[in-house]
Amino acid sequence: MQFSMEPAQAQLARTIRELTACNRMSERYGLTLAQEQMRALVQRRTEALRNTGRVEFGEGILRSLIYTFCDSPDLRPEDYEVTLAELQDLFYWFKNETQDRLSDDELLHAMRVVFDRAHGALERLVDASPEMLCRIARGENAEENSEEDEEDDDE
Amino acid sequence: MNELAYSGQPLTPEEQLSFQIWMWGLLAHHTALYTMGDSTSVPQKTAEELLESLLYTLGAAESEPDRIRELLSDDPELAYNKGVRILEEKVEEGKALWEQVCLNLPDLKNQSLHDTLSSLRGLWRRYDFRYFAHQIPADIDYQLSCPVPESLQGIDYVNEYLRRLLAESRFLCRFAPDRAASVLRSSCPDYRGLLINLFEPVAVNAMGLVLTGRDPLTLAITDADREAIRAELGRPGPAMVTAARRLCEVLEVRDKEEQHCLVRLAASLPPRIQVAMECGDLSGIFLQPADN
């Protein structure tokens, strides 16, 4: 018997409910998602999981992403859905790149630190090395280490 | 009543869907336990391994329809816990088997046998029956005369391997070590260092001697014995299987597993014997001990 690793329809409905609840919290920062945008993000999550070869149970990481990033001054309402989608893709990609050494909360924290330092430039976040994310998650001097990483890249 | 009506029937699409939902909840719970709540997602390979472990623990790895129907009538966690208790009992059985094997080893050196038993000694600490029950965290290099079916997984594979190894070892202990060593040297001069089975050459010689009516404990086969064996093998009927059964009587082999080992080996020999008979040379099967 084959077991489907795809999220069930019930999970979709639950995620939409979760994201609707998130809107109530994020609207104080001027950030809300329409139902269509929520569906698009859930669809994007399925693709991100497939692309990274990961399996997820429950409602996914979107809710935690919103809680982690919604108070960032670099998150603009007009780019909210697109940025969340990119962050979601990067989150699963970094889970693999860090070989699951970081918990979800640790990885989200490290991503937020890099995002803030880059003033919301996602391309800088894309370039973050797994080692750097691990160091930030461990609470090491992120600024200093970031410069070292850049120097290493220059060499 | 339903069980009788459905017995042996393939699962209906509704039953398949029900079982997927049943398993999905259990898998989600066990994945959360595995990650200790640190991660909502796992690599697909990990999820597949966790699923395989659950199916094995539940006794549903073969997707047997009746077993799946039985599970569907049970609470997933209760069914899982029942499976874990059975695995725990099998682990205890495995430990006892391992001890028995160590106590019944023949006085014959073989590196792969030594390494395999050393690796199995540490298995009980490494065996993770909570998350990877279907895996075998040990290096099992020593070749049995009759290999364990690859369809067996986890502790079932290990216990069956140990049962067969114990039977082979007990059989070898019936012979004087120097005589058995002579046959093994004839089969493979470096029998201590290479990955070879110790049981087979000795058992085949013993069967050959039974065919000629001589004492199998001598293990000494001469050219004249081989001629007599050739004549016996020329008669109709399963000569080697008959010889294996006769050997059990002569040596008073009462243990069923030991008997099975001999009969299985005997049943596997005819193709090799036929080729040797066609070449007119049985010396590669019924060995002249190296010292003779």
Side-chain angles (χ1 to χ4, degrees):
Chain A
M1 184 188 295
Q2 294 291 311
F3 281 90
S4 167
M5 288 293 185
E6 296 295 316
Q9 202 62 25
Q11 278 189 318
L12 171 69
R14 194 169 57 182
T15 308
I16 298 285
R17 280 200 301 276
E18 289 279 350
L19 294 180
T20 305
C22 284
N23 269 347
R24 287 197 284 277
M25 187 272 303
S26 63
E27 66 188 359
R28 77 180 80 152
Y29 303 103
L31 303 167
T32 52
L33 291 168
Q35 284 269 327
E36 266 318 295
Q37 291 175 311
M38 292 177 195
R39 286 182 187 282
L41 283 168
V42 173
Q43 178 60 35
R44 179 84 170 245
R45 170 208 179 202
T46 306
E47 287 162 20
L49 287 168
R50 189 180 298 128
N51 291 341
T52 53
R54 296 186 69 84
V55 175
E56 189 166 54
F57 300 94
E59 74 274 10
I61 203 65
L62 275 170
R63 183 170 169 270
S64 298
L65 271 174
I66 292 169
Y67 273 82
T68 305
F69 284 86
C70 71
D71 65 345
S72 167
D74 300 310
L75 201 53
R76 291 192 299 271
E78 62 272 26
D79 299 332
Y80 186 40
E81 181 201 349
V82 174
T83 308
L84 278 181
E86 293 285 337
L87 288 170
Q88 183 176 234
D89 287 353
L90 283 172
F91 174 83
Y92 294 119
W93 187 68
F94 281 137
K95 284 295 277 189
N96 281 353
E97 290 298 301
T98 56
Q99 298 174 333
D100 289 72
R101 279 177 292 167
L102 299 181
S103 70
D104 288 355
D105 288 346
E106 287 170 334
L107 179 56
L108 286 168
H109 165 70
M111 286 171 68
R112 172 68 197 261
V113 168
V114 177
F115 184 80
D116 284 351
R117 194 186 296 156
H119 306 293
L122 284 168
E123 56 275 18
R124 291 281 304 278
L125 185 54
V126 172
D127 289 338
S129 69
E131 292 73 24
M132 178 181 156
L133 292 168
C134 289
R135 283 200 295 265
I136 294 171
R138 285 198 299 265
E140 292 176 13
N141 190 331
E143 211 67 56
E144 200 175 282
N145 288 321
S146 167
E147 282 164 17
E148 279 173 17
D149 279 348
E150 280 169 16
E151 279 170 22
D152 288 347
D153 290 345
D154 291 343
E155 285 169 16
Chain B
M1 194 65 185
N2 274 348
E3 276 175 26
L4 282 175
Y6 284 111
S7 182
Q9 295 289 310
L11 295 178
T12 63
E14 292 75 23
E15 286 174 320
Q16 286 188 21
L17 184 63
S18 297
F19 189 55
Q20 286 198 17
I21 294 167
W22 194 93
M23 279 303 299
W24 184 265
L26 195 58
L27 181 59
H29 178 62
H30 280 261
T31 305
L33 289 175
Y34 175 72
T35 65
M36 294 189 286
D38 274 353
S39 181
T40 59
S41 63
V42 290
Q44 185 164 334
K45 179 71 184 152
T46 304
E48 285 170 358
E49 292 288 324
L50 291 170
L51 175 62
E52 206 172 337
S53 175
L54 282 174
L55 289 170
Y56 170 67
T57 305
L58 292 163
E62 301 297 318
S63 297
E64 185 63 37
D66 289 345
R67 175 64 188 144
I68 289 171
R69 286 189 188 102
E70 197 183 323
L71 287 171
L72 280 173
S73 66
D74 210 345
D75 173 75
E77 279 300 322
L78 286 178
Y80 172 75
N81 287 332
K82 274 185 224 167
V84 167
R85 280 196 294 278
I86 292 170
L87 287 184
E88 285 172 335
E89 285 168 15
K90 287 179 178 175
V91 167
E92 291 307 312
E93 186 188 352
K95 287 179 186 173
L97 277 167
W98 181 83
E99 279 181 22
Q100 282 298 305
V101 171
C102 293
L103 291 171
N104 287 279
L105 281 179
D107 192 10
L108 298 163
K109 299 266 187 302
N110 180 272
Q111 192 59 45
S112 63
L113 176 58
H114 175 269
D115 292 346
T116 297
L117 287 173
S118 295
S119 182
L120 286 171
R121 181 175 51 201
L123 172 86
W124 322 116
R125 274 184 284 107
R126 292 189 299 269
Y127 185 52
D128 186 351
F129 59 79
R130 287 277 163 195
Y131 300 114
F132 302 106
H134 62 298
Q135 293 183 356
I136 305 163
D139 296 320
I140 300 180
D141 294 330
Y142 180 71
Q143 310 286 312
L144 293 173
S145 167
C146 183
V148 176
E150 291 293 328
S151 58
L152 290 182
Q153 294 178 292
I155 191 67
D156 286 314
Y157 182 97
V158 173
N159 285 1
E160 184 58 26
Y161 179 88
L162 287 169
R163 262 190 289 277
R164 293 183 184 205
L165 180 57
L166 178 60
E168 291 188 8
S169 296
R170 279 182 170 152
F171 179 79
L172 285 171
C173 286
R174 295 173 183 277
F175 299 88
D178 56 333
R179 289 181 183 171
S182 293
V183 175
L184 290 168
R185 266 197 301 278
S186 176
S187 166
C188 174
D190 187 17
Y191 74 89
R192 294 173 182 211
L194 295 180
L195 289 169
I196 64 141
N197 174 259
L198 302 177
F199 165 82
E200 191 168 318
V202 174
V204 171
N205 260 30
M207 287 182 215
L209 286 164
V210 164
L211 272 178
T212 65
R214 289 189 52 215
D215 179 6
L217 289 174
T218 66
L219 291 177
I221 285 190
T222 62
D223 288 340
D225 291 326
R226 271 191 287 273
E227 281 309 309
I229 291 170
R230 181 199 302 277
E232 288 298 322
L233 292 174
R235 297 179 200 279
M240 291 310 295
V241 172
T242 306
R245 294 202 173 109
R246 177 83 188 113
L247 181 62
C248 291
E249 288 169 20
V250 172
L251 297 183
E252 297 183 342
V253 175
R254 305 267 184 261
D255 178 62
K256 287 286 173 206
E257 191 56 48
E258 209 176 324
Q259 291 176 359
H260 285 153
C261 278
L262 287 164
V263 172
R264 275 194 296 257
L265 170 61
S268 73
L269 289 173
R272 279 175 58 197
I273 289 175
Q274 191 180 342
V275 173
M277 293 272 274
E278 284 165 9
C279 297
D281 182 10
L282 288 173
S283 64
I285 296 175
F286 300 99
L287 304 166
Q288 183 161 342
D291 298 341
N292 280 12

